[in-house]
Amino acid sequence: MAYTKEETALRACDILEEIYPESVCALKYEKPYELLIAVRLSAQCTDARVNIVTESLFKKYPTLESFAEAELSELEQDVKPCGFYRTKAESIIGMAKRLIEVYDSRIPDTMEELLTLPGVGRKTANLILGDVYGKPAIVTDTHFIRITGRLGLTQNKEPEKVERDLRPLVPPERSSDFCHRIVQFGRDTCTARKPKCSECRMQEICAYFKKL
């Protein structure tokens, strides 16, 4: 049976909801700005490592003000296990200062404003919009790009183009949870190197599987 892209996307939403009834963000946080910092640290780093680092980081710097006032060289060492620690530490301090000075310590709720924060790109902004504000969001991380490509929903590899391709296909009210479930599915089944196609429940709608 041939599926349109719209049908494939809807079926993928249904299957992932059956596999993962609970949709949760892999990054651990309590305050909205902590998610912003955790996502910044997750660039080129695993969520598992970020969670280890932030467990102590958020205790050492318990407020947004403490990040804004942090000593750059010290913060660099605190986040060093996440890689690219110099640029990440610099953008975290800059981000905290801008949130305090421009937004009265509140996380903005629009894409345009979020993109003015140091170190924040569309992927980060979408995650904040979806998780903090419950708005429609397409978070194009590596898992999302890989899996939507294998399903035949996009031929693009660039995050912004993948986001553009998927927005009309995934129901807005399901989009944020869909992205979280895709991440879990990418770790459990549709892995980068050796996808477990023989036991995958997406076989019927997967363009990649049909070519095997």
Side-chain angles (χ1 to χ4, degrees):
M1 177 180 175
Y3 288 87
T4 64
K5 288 184 178 181
E6 290 81 1
E7 291 169 337
T8 298
L10 286 173
R11 185 67 187 125
C13 285
D14 292 340
I15 292 171
L16 290 173
E17 286 174 12
E18 292 169 6
I19 300 174
Y20 306 107
E22 298 296 323
S23 169
V24 294
C25 179
L27 294 168
K28 297 179 181 178
Y29 70 97
E30 293 182 359
K31 306 166 187 174
Y33 75 80
E34 291 181 345
L35 177 58
L36 203 55
I37 291 170
V39 181
R40 181 67 188 100
L41 293 175
S42 71
Q44 305 298 314
C45 182
T46 65
D47 290 344
R49 182 174 293 277
V50 171
N51 286 336
I52 292 172
V53 171
T54 55
E55 184 176 3
S56 57
L57 187 71
F58 293 154
K59 289 177 181 176
K60 182 174 181 178
Y61 303 94
T63 64
L64 189 59
E65 287 73 19
S66 60
F67 276 108
E69 297 166 2
E71 181 68 38
L72 178 59
S73 59
E74 186 174 353
L75 184 58
E76 286 177 350
Q77 294 307 306
D78 292 332
V79 303
K80 192 171 184 178
C82 295
F84 300 96
Y85 60 96
R86 288 193 174 91
T87 55
K88 289 180 180 180
E90 184 178 8
S91 60
I92 287 171
I93 292 174
M95 179 193 302
K97 287 181 177 179
R98 183 167 176 80
L99 285 173
I100 293 169
E101 295 168 2
V102 180
Y103 297 106
D104 196 26
S105 298
R106 182 177 179 274
I107 307 296
D109 63 354
T110 68
M111 174 66 72
E112 293 72 25
E113 290 176 306
L114 284 166
L115 291 177
T116 69
L117 300 175
V120 173
R122 291 190 66 86
K123 179 187 123 177
T124 301
N126 270 305
L127 185 61
I128 294 297
L129 292 174
D131 277 45
V132 175
Y133 293 107
K135 294 187 175 184
I138 297 292
V139 183
T140 52
D141 71 344
T142 55
H143 294 290
F144 190 90
I145 293 171
R146 179 178 73 253
I147 294 168
T148 54
R150 285 176 176 172
L151 288 173
L153 297 175
T154 180
Q155 293 183 340
N156 287 305
K157 301 293 184 183
E158 296 175 41
E160 193 166 342
K161 290 182 179 180
V162 173
E163 178 188 340
R164 181 196 64 200
D165 291 344
L166 269 293
R167 277 198 181 276
L169 302 179
V170 180
E173 69 278 6
R174 302 173 80 179
S175 59
S176 181
D177 289 341
F178 176 69
C179 294
H180 286 317
R181 292 183 172 108
I182 280 277
V183 171
Q184 191 61 53
F185 181 69
R187 290 179 178 145
D188 295 343
T189 305
C190 197
T191 54
R193 294 186 179 179
K194 293 183 179 179
K196 303 172 185 176
C197 296
S198 62
E199 58 188 69
C200 180
R201 291 177 58 183
M202 297 275 201
Q203 291 177 2
E204 185 182 1
I205 59 173
C206 182
Y208 178 87
F209 178 77
K210 292 174 182 178
K211 292 178 181 178
L212 294 178

